Amino acid sequence: MHKLIQVIPPEEIQKRVWELAKEISDRYAGEPLLMICVLKGAFLFFADLVKHMHIDPEVDFLRLSSYKQQTSRTTTMEMLSDICANVADKNVLIVDDIVDTGHSMQYLKSVLAERGPRSIAVCSLLNKRERRERDVLVDFCGFTLEKGFVVGYGLDYAEQYRHLGGIFELVP
Ligand code: IMP
Ligand code: MG
């Protein structure tokens, strides 16, 4: 059994999501925007963000899988489910739950960059810095965390705790 310690209350998340939606809407005003949700972790954040946008973005969804190769200690990334949308000449905004080591986001950016978008930017609810191994820029960041494993508001531990309204640190 784990202990959950709240680190960001629901009201604070909602306020910050509202601010981010405004910031993103202002940045892309008058331009076409494709917002891509990285499943499953970002699903609640993405829905709330889209709901509060002042512009009308196209939305699409993808899913990644990653597995550690024990022998080489490298992480192999794979697209488990791709978007359907055409990316060419569009402003693309990748929306994820958390950037941790940075491997996933670096992989995603490079895959999407090959498809000829007009621009690519990253929006992440959380930016965790302790374990960063890849230098990825988070253009729109909700909250910065130094360390810890967190759950709630879409983020899981073994498919649990996604339903929680706030962000909680999982303590063994
Ligand atoms: P990366 O290490 O930056 O490639 O992060 C990959 C993925 O690991 C994130 O998109 C999350 O889905 C998951 N992840 C990383 N840290 C946490 C955490 O603290 N809680 C829940 N999921 C996490
Ligand atoms: Mg994720």
Side-chain angles (χ1 to χ4, degrees):
M1 197 54 198
H2 293 92
K3 207 170 109 188
L4 298 178
I5 298 170
Q6 185 170 271
V7 287
I8 312 171
E11 314 78 60
E12 220 175 292
I13 295 175
Q14 291 308 314
K15 181 169 168 283
R16 186 70 190 117
V17 170
W18 187 86
E19 289 169 357
L20 282 172
K22 169 94 172 66
E23 215 180 296
I24 294 165
S25 301
D26 288 349
R27 163 66 185 79
Y28 294 101
E31 293 196 45
L33 175 64
L34 169 62
M35 290 177 69
I36 299 177
C37 174
V38 184
L39 296 170
K40 301 181 201 174
F43 82 110
L44 286 180
F45 174 47
F46 187 79
D48 283 345
L49 196 58
V50 168
K51 220 161 52 179
H52 289 103
M53 296 286 289
H54 306 291
I55 58 172
D56 186 6
E58 183 182 355
V59 298
D60 211 333
F61 304 83
L62 62 76
R63 214 175 144 189
L64 288 181
S65 75
S66 71
Y67 50 95
K68 283 240 182 302
Q69 287 187 321
Q70 297 301 337
T71 45
S72 61
R73 293 178 66 210
T74 56
T75 307
T76 306
M77 306 291 323
E78 206 178 71
M79 192 89 84
L80 210 62
S81 165
D82 204 339
I83 52 169
C84 301
N86 190 348
V87 160
D89 205 33
K90 286 178 191 163
N91 297 303
V92 171
L93 181 64
I94 305 170
V95 180
D96 207 348
D97 52 356
I98 184 165
V99 178
D100 183 17
T101 64
H103 284 283
S104 312
M105 199 45 82
Q106 192 191 49
Y107 167 79
L108 257 187
K109 281 183 90 170
S110 70
V111 168
L112 294 170
E114 283 171 15
R115 302 179 187 177
R118 189 182 301 179
S119 68
I120 298 187
V122 172
C123 173
S124 183
L125 174 69
L126 303 167
N127 189 7
K128 192 162 71 179
R129 304 209 290 216
E130 184 192 28
R131 309 199 310 149
R132 188 63 45 86
E133 291 173 5
R134 293 287 178 270
D135 194 17
V136 288
L137 177 69
V138 179
D139 303 85
F140 303 95
C141 171
F143 302 91
T144 301
L145 298 175
E146 282 312 317
K147 58 187 169 76
F149 192 87
V150 290
V151 296
Y153 195 58
L155 289 91
D156 77 308
Y157 169 74
E159 297 302 328
Q160 286 177 279
Y161 310 120
R162 291 193 198 273
H163 69 295
L164 299 171
I167 297 289
F168 295 78
E169 188 173 345
L170 196 70
V171 185

